[in-house]
Amino acid sequence: MEVPPQQHQTNRVVKALLILLNCSLMAIGQIGGPLLVRLYFLHGGKRKWLTAWLLTAAFPLLIFPIAISFTRTRTKAQSTRLFVTPRLLLSCAFIGFLLGFDSYLYTFGMSYLPLSVSSLLSTSQLAFTAFFAFIVVKHKFTHYSVNAVVLMTFGSVMLGLHMNGELPSGESDGKYSLGFFMTLAGAALHGFLMPAVEYTHLKAEVPVTFDLVMQLQFLISLFSTLFCTVGMIINKDFQAIPQEAAEFELGETKYYMILILAAVALQFSVIGSLGVIFCSTSLLGGIVSSLLVPVQQAVAVIVLPESFNAEKGMSLAMCLWGFASYLYGEYKVSRKKQTRKLQPVEEV
């Protein structure tokens, strides 16, 4: 059955609004989350498994939209899938455990590196995402998307290469190097996770609705939290939290406020990232993530004791240029598809 042009246009608008909403959630999480985590480490926090756990610990928040969606579908007498298939459950467990390990790699690097240097993870993440998107989901590249990947990768690399005068005081070269390579490893793993999520959607063998995606997000975050919880138990982080809070430089109340706000912000980042993949592609998720890196630097100048220099300004310009290139390419592809659909079919 052919979709009427008006309904097709409505679907495009709804999809664009969903992408915008998820990008906004990514922005809140990716800018606010790392800043709060860095504040935690700067003022006496030392628990790496705890900060890794924060990335998905606020996953119970997803219960509310899932419950609302279920109530709405029952009211309209529509069929809904309450439980995912066993194959999807195993996929969520696999991705969730990898996400938990990836969170630990991120926070390990963030504990030893300045925020501007740890932004290198977003740099290489885009390159790894582009590579794995081509391998895993056979993503087709245009010269616009290739231009965007190159520009935004080099633009963000400038942040990682500008290390002079930004080595944290009292940090040894060994810990600095270890944090750098752990961050790079986290970027590579995250670059694989985004196409893996897209592949899960493509091979779901059931209609991939927004309701089902919310359930997948819940399960992925659940398994990631379980993985980090095991690490916290082994490292005895739960027992150490009260003492660390009492010794926190900003005070005990602000200690718990930073942890709670970081958990909520980072959960927004996970929801937004998975939502962008559902509404579009993993490559767009990587590009939006890289676009937010220089924005994160600008906010860090205000919140943290970091400077904004010419390299960071150039990085911001290159990332904005690359993002504009990607959007223009997607617009041209969309217009070409629409033109083909509107062309009359010649009768034989």
Side-chain angles (χ1 to χ4, degrees):
M1 183 178 180
E2 187 177 353
V3 180
Q6 186 176 0
Q7 183 178 349
H8 179 72
Q9 182 67 22
T10 302
N11 293 338
R12 287 181 58 194
V13 173
V14 171
K15 183 178 179 180
L17 290 175
L18 284 175
I19 292 176
L20 181 61
L21 173 63
N22 285 292
C23 288
S24 300
L25 292 175
M26 280 187 70
I28 295 172
Q30 190 170 325
I31 295 173
L35 287 174
L36 290 167
V37 171
R38 187 59 186 161
L39 277 175
Y40 165 81
F41 284 119
L42 282 175
H43 295 284
K46 300 182 184 301
R47 297 287 160 177
K48 301 176 183 62
W49 278 111
L50 171 61
T51 49
W53 181 80
L54 291 177
L55 178 66
T56 53
F59 73 92
L61 292 174
L62 291 169
I63 294 176
F64 297 103
I66 292 175
I68 293 173
S69 177
F70 174 67
T71 303
R72 177 178 54 82
T73 52
R74 284 195 63 183
T75 303
K76 295 182 179 180
Q78 296 176 350
S79 61
T80 183
R81 178 174 292 277
L82 280 178
F83 301 102
V84 297
T85 62
R87 180 175 178 177
L88 282 177
L89 181 62
L90 290 175
S91 298
C92 289
F94 175 72
I95 294 174
F97 290 147
L98 287 181
L99 179 60
F101 182 60
D102 188 47
S103 303
Y104 177 75
L105 294 175
Y106 273 177
T107 55
F108 191 99
M110 198 177 298
S111 65
Y112 292 134
L113 300 176
L115 190 59
S116 56
V117 177
S118 64
S119 295
L120 179 62
L121 60 89
S122 295
T123 303
S124 45
Q125 173 190 315
L126 177 58
F128 285 119
T129 299
F131 173 75
F132 285 118
F134 177 76
I135 299 297
V136 177
V137 295
K138 311 299 181 185
H139 190 280
K140 294 182 179 180
F141 288 91
T142 65
H143 56 279
Y144 293 104
S145 59
V146 171
N147 182 53
V149 170
V150 172
L151 279 173
M152 299 179 77
T153 298
F154 277 105
S156 298
V157 161
M158 293 177 64
L159 299 176
L161 294 179
H162 183 72
M163 302 179 190
N164 296 331
E166 297 194 7
L167 183 66
S169 59
E171 207 71 79
S172 66
D173 292 338
K175 288 184 178 180
Y176 189 90
S177 300
L178 182 60
F180 182 88
F181 287 110
M182 291 285 274
T183 303
L184 196 61
L189 181 55
H190 195 78
F192 169 76
L193 283 174
M194 298 186 78
V197 172
E198 184 178 358
Y199 182 82
T200 300
H201 291 166
L202 294 175
K203 302 296 181 180
E205 297 181 349
V206 291
V208 181
T209 62
F210 185 75
D211 299 334
L212 183 61
V213 170
M214 293 296 293
Q215 295 177 46
L216 296 180
Q217 290 181 353
F218 180 88
L219 290 172
I220 290 173
S221 298
L222 170 64
F223 285 113
S224 175
T225 305
L226 290 176
F227 180 86
C228 293
T229 301
V230 173
M232 289 182 67
I233 293 174
I234 295 174
N235 202 42
K236 298 182 179 180
D237 282 3
F238 289 107
Q239 295 92 322
I241 289 176
Q243 181 180 355
E244 189 176 69
E247 299 174 354
F248 195 63
E249 295 176 2
L250 298 179
E252 188 173 352
T253 302
K254 290 185 179 180
Y255 174 86
Y256 289 110
M257 285 181 59
I258 288 175
L259 293 185
I260 293 173
L261 291 175
V264 174
L266 291 170
Q267 187 62 53
F268 282 169
S269 178
V270 174
I271 294 174
S273 179
L274 296 177
V276 168
I277 295 173
F278 165 66
C279 296
S280 184
T281 64
S282 56
L283 181 61
L284 177 60
I287 287 178
V288 173
S289 181
S290 291
L291 173 68
L292 293 172
V293 170
V295 179
Q296 185 186 77
Q297 301 306 308
V299 177
V301 171
I302 302 173
V303 179
L304 302 177
E306 297 190 12
S307 61
F308 190 86
N309 47 43
E311 287 83 358
K312 293 178 182 179
M314 182 62 70
S315 172
L316 175 61
M318 294 181 71
C319 286
L320 291 174
W321 183 8
F323 187 65
S325 174
Y326 177 82
L327 289 181
Y328 181 71
E330 289 297 303
Y331 171 77
K332 289 199 68 174
V333 171
S334 176
R335 291 290 297 178
K336 186 179 293 186
K337 289 181 179 179
Q338 187 177 8
T339 303
R340 288 177 180 175
K341 288 181 179 180
L342 295 177
Q343 286 179 348
V345 180
E346 297 182 358
E347 297 184 1
V348 180

